[in-house]
Amino acid sequence: MVIIHSFTPFCVWPFVACVCNVGWQGTGLRSQKFRKVWVLQVPFGVNFGRLVRKKRGIEGLSQQDLAALAFGNVGGKAKISQIENGRIHSPHQKTIDSLVIALEISDAELSECYAPIKLDEHEPIQGPFFHPVDPQIFCDKISGRRLQFALDVANRVELKKFALIAAKENVDFLEIGDPVFQKYGMGIIRDVKNYAPGIPIVAEFASSDWIEQQIQLAANSGADIVQVIGLSNEKRISRAIDSARKHKVGISVAILSHENIAKLMAESEAYGADMVAIIRNLDSSNIFIDIMEILKSLPADFTIPLAISGGFTATQVALALDQRWNVVIVGSSILNSPTPADTIRRIKRILRT
């Protein structure tokens, strides 16, 4: 039997999930075993945005550079940002053509943007290490300063290598994001938990359009926390938090640096989010300065735990210690380090000062 659900009616192209019972021969007392596979029809624009961001990174272009190359003027930077964040589900054909030419996107790469993705729905893992749904446990976990290591690698061998390093160096949180889920499915969360037992896993999603389903799949695969980008209004924040509570995972509301940060922080706190994360896109030469200015401008009375992200190096983490925040999210400076374990140790020493 195939059950088809239409998600997010406010989308131009609704997400469609087919839940199929797929059987295979088992052993022992039960001759048949079954698993569920979610087939998710993601809007073309979301997949195209991910491809544009990936190709832009390979070419070493900023969003402003790409706008000038594709559209002939830097004023198109805002459109590039919207596309990369999946906010334009059906880009105009002229826009697609311009970006395809500018980034030399092949027909094969473009065709993959129309393909559905499959995500295994595992049985819930019993007794995850960390349930931040309990406010006291969450507060205890982030007392002081903490390190969240973003595993932004789409290679399983590298993923295992860095997860093992993270386990040995006892990082506080491990983050897995959409690019990894796209390639390996949500089941990769379980693999990482096996590589790094005892470290809370943060599942980050770049879109909130089908967030209830994402949270359910992440929780069933063993995630401890979900971090969601795109919760741009009270309705979406409320939906996401309700879903996180239902599936007993913590939730961090990720706020992009160009959004109304003070307003979204207040709404997130009012609805009971466990944390907010301020995310700065890595397309500016002044990322660190921008993050510092944002932190200085925050209301003095906010109490919700705060994470910050923006391509931090160990030196920049040290320079940020005089601002209010709880968790620093670090990815590339560890992943690109010739001695990643040493870099983790250095950051942790800084956080203890």
Side-chain angles (χ1 to χ4, degrees), residues 33-325:
K33 294 183 180 179
F34 295 91
R35 66 186 174 94
K36 288 181 178 179
V37 176
W38 292 70
V39 181
L40 303 171
Q41 184 60 59
V42 181
F44 167 82
V46 174
N47 286 332
F48 184 65
R50 291 178 178 135
L51 177 61
V52 168
R53 181 166 52 189
K54 174 184 175 182
K55 298 286 283 189
R56 179 173 65 81
I58 292 172
E59 297 296 328
L61 300 172
S62 68
Q63 289 182 341
Q64 186 170 305
D65 293 336
L66 180 56
L69 186 62
F71 309 133
N73 65 84
V74 297
K77 177 185 174 182
K79 181 184 289 187
I80 298 293
S81 178
Q82 288 181 317
I83 290 172
E84 290 188 353
N85 287 315
R87 297 185 183 277
I88 302 178
H89 289 179
S90 301
H92 192 280
Q93 188 60 50
K94 185 177 179 180
T95 300
I96 296 171
D97 292 342
S98 297
L99 290 169
V100 165
I101 293 171
L103 293 171
E104 298 182 356
I105 294 172
S106 68
D107 290 343
E109 289 174 318
L110 191 62
S111 66
E112 288 182 2
C113 294
Y114 293 95
I117 59 173
K118 296 181 179 181
L119 302 174
D120 287 344
E121 183 188 38
H122 296 285
E123 291 299 317
I125 294 177
Q126 298 300 317
F129 168 75
F130 178 49
H131 276 304
V133 70
D134 181 335
Q136 187 56 52
I137 293 176
F138 189 82
C139 290
D140 290 345
K141 182 65 186 174
I142 61 166
S143 60
R145 310 274 196 173
R146 301 293 179 175
L147 171 62
Q148 181 168 313
F149 178 18
L151 292 173
D152 295 330
V153 290
N155 176 296
R156 188 181 286 272
V157 174
E158 290 289 291
L159 196 68
K160 179 179 180 180
K161 180 185 82 172
F162 284 110
L164 291 172
I165 292 172
K168 184 177 180 181
E169 300 305 326
N170 195 29
V171 302
D172 300 293
F173 302 97
L174 271 176
E175 175 189 313
I176 308 171
D178 265 343
V180 178
F181 296 142
Q182 282 282 319
K183 187 167 185 179
Y184 297 114
M186 294 281 186
I188 197 68
I189 295 173
R190 178 173 291 181
D191 293 339
V192 173
K193 287 183 82 77
N194 288 332
Y195 303 146
I199 297 180
I201 302 297
V202 180
E204 185 189 55
F205 301 110
S207 171
S208 65
D209 288 331
W210 50 291
I211 192 57
E212 289 96 338
Q213 291 73 32
Q214 288 176 307
I215 290 175
Q216 179 184 0
L217 288 166
N220 285 354
S221 297
D224 302 288
I225 311 162
V226 291
Q227 181 169 293
V228 188
I229 299 171
L231 299 175
S232 54
N233 56 57
E234 288 187 62
K235 183 177 180 180
R236 290 195 177 194
I237 291 172
S238 175
R239 280 172 48 209
I241 292 173
D242 287 347
S243 182
R245 294 292 172 259
K246 177 181 177 181
H247 297 290
K248 301 188 186 305
V249 292
I251 182 165
S252 173
V253 176
I255 305 172
L256 298 177
S257 59
H258 65 268
E259 296 180 302
N260 189 332
I261 295 174
K263 176 177 179 291
L264 292 174
M265 283 184 69
E267 291 172 352
S268 299
E269 186 166 10
Y271 280 101
D274 297 296
M275 185 162 65
V276 296
I278 297 176
I279 309 293
R280 180 69 172 90
N281 290 333
L282 304 181
D283 60 354
S284 168
S285 59
N286 299 314
I287 300 172
F288 176 71
I289 295 174
D290 292 345
I291 289 289
M292 291 302 98
E293 291 301 317
I294 290 170
L295 292 176
K296 291 174 184 177
S297 69
L298 293 178
D301 59 349
F302 80 85
T303 59
I304 189 168
L306 175 64
I308 53 175
S309 173
F312 280 87
T313 64
T315 300
Q316 290 170 336
V317 172
L319 292 173
L321 289 177
D322 61 344
Q323 300 298 322
R324 286 182 62 192
W325 52 268

Side-chain angles (χ1 to χ4, degrees), residues 1-5 17-20:
M1 179 177 67
V2 176
I3 305 170
I4 300 179
H5 299 281
C18 303
V19 184
C20 311

